[in-house]
Amino acid sequence: MGAGSGLMSKSILFLSALIALPVALLAFILSGRRPRGADPPGRGEKHPAPTPAPAPAPVPPTPEVASRLHELAFGVPLRPPADEPAHLEVAAAVDLLLSGPVLKPEYAPRRPLHLPKLVQAVNDENVSRRELAVLIAQDPALAGNLLRLANSAFYRANSQPVESIDRAVTLLGTSGIRSLMAAALLQPVFRTASGEFRRFPDITWEHTQYAASAAEAYAAILADEDPFAAQLLVLLHGLGTILVFRAAMDEYARHGVPADAATVAALIGRHAAHVASRVAHDWELSSRILTALEDQSDYMQSRDATALGLALRFGRHCGAVAVLRHHELLDDDGGMAALAAYGFAGPDCERIWARLAKQVAADGPSGEA
């Protein structure tokens, strides 16, 4: 796989715990309230204008941004979906499997019940940071993954290593821990069995991280919405993407034919938002969340979207551009131009992109050839 061992180590942790996201966490994040004392992402920060690359990459048309992202994830150039009978049969089987009102158990994430105390504590302003750290430490898997993420380039606050949950809570604060805890619970889900398109979980997780950061900022700065709800929407959409990918790969395995990247990509485009919506419905999330996911359909994109739906849409577009930037397929100015072509322009969008581009630069080269 072209990505370095760092990206793979992230994704190796990521495909079984999204299946373990508790309803309590979701209810608390989606309560519609902003955390008391939490600063919206990016507010109060001054961001220098990004420095253009010496040789600017051409700005791809908006459909090409999605195409390049899929090519990066699948590792092969995308063509129109294969029209051979075997591939058409696979696509029809996946369409039937995922378009119904109920998901099969293997594609329906469960809701473990072991975190209600932790979620309640994070939402309770009377719980001290020390008490919060003790509660997190009671779940070794969550604590270990949270520390790994806290020390990653994406979340690390400074050059000093974070060696304890207590220190992580102190450095990041309650609002920072809320965001990090959601990512820590969800990251391990993006792990698939070895086989074709092994890079797909890595790139999808990378896209989800950048998209969640952008959606949080958009919700706080432009939409006057709960940034944590926006983050969770991105994570749910990422879950939908992975579940569709798994369903397609399972169906190809059952048919005994090599998977066609373009067919899998088309299936993801058709079903990711719907599958995410089914998960949200099964978890009894609010109608605001369901509507925001429905806003991602081709039909709804021609109509006025809700504020959270726009935050999710912006996050997904901005995350895709950020991944291309990280893999040196686009420069900072090209990234902003691509967002403007998507319809996201103006000083606030430029500020959010500048902040995300700074994070991409801090993450360092992707290691791609």
Side-chain angles (χ1 to χ4, degrees), residues 195-221:
E196 298 172 270
F197 314 133
R198 295 186 182 188
R199 298 174 59 198
F200 188 87
D202 292 328
I203 299 300
T204 304
W205 170 239
E206 183 183 1
H207 178 214
T208 300
Q209 282 187 297
Y210 288 138
S213 179
E216 280 187 275
Y218 185 96
I221 296 172

Side-chain angles (χ1 to χ4, degrees), residues 240-256:
T241 297
I242 282 295
L243 292 177
V244 177
F245 176 75
R246 287 178 56 198
M249 299 307 292
D250 289 349
E251 201 61 43
Y252 266 114
R254 279 191 281 270
H255 280 71

Side-chain angles (χ1 to χ4, degrees), residues 16-84:
S16 61
L18 232 194
I19 307 261
L21 183 63
V23 141
L25 172 63
L26 301 174
F28 125 69
I29 290 177
L30 298 176
S31 61
R33 303 190 306 268
R34 289 187 183 172
R36 294 180 179 88
D39 292 327
R43 286 194 174 177
E45 298 178 18
K46 294 182 179 179
H47 299 286
T51 302
V59 179
T62 54
E64 192 174 339
V65 170
S67 176
R68 285 189 183 185
L69 179 65
H70 277 297
E71 288 182 18
L72 188 64
F74 287 103
V76 295
L78 288 187
R79 303 173 303 276
D83 57 3
E84 288 85 355

Side-chain angles (χ1 to χ4, degrees), residues 1 19 25 35 41 48 112 132 156 166 169 183 186 193 200 225 241 274 282 297 306 319 353 359 363 367:
M1 184 165 61
I19 307 261
L25 172 63
L132 179 59
R156 194 163 179 169
D166 194 39
V169 174
L186 298 172
F200 188 87
E225 271 286 358
T241 297
H274 173 73
D282 292 346
S297 70
T306 61
W353 168 245
Q359 177 62 61
D363 287 346

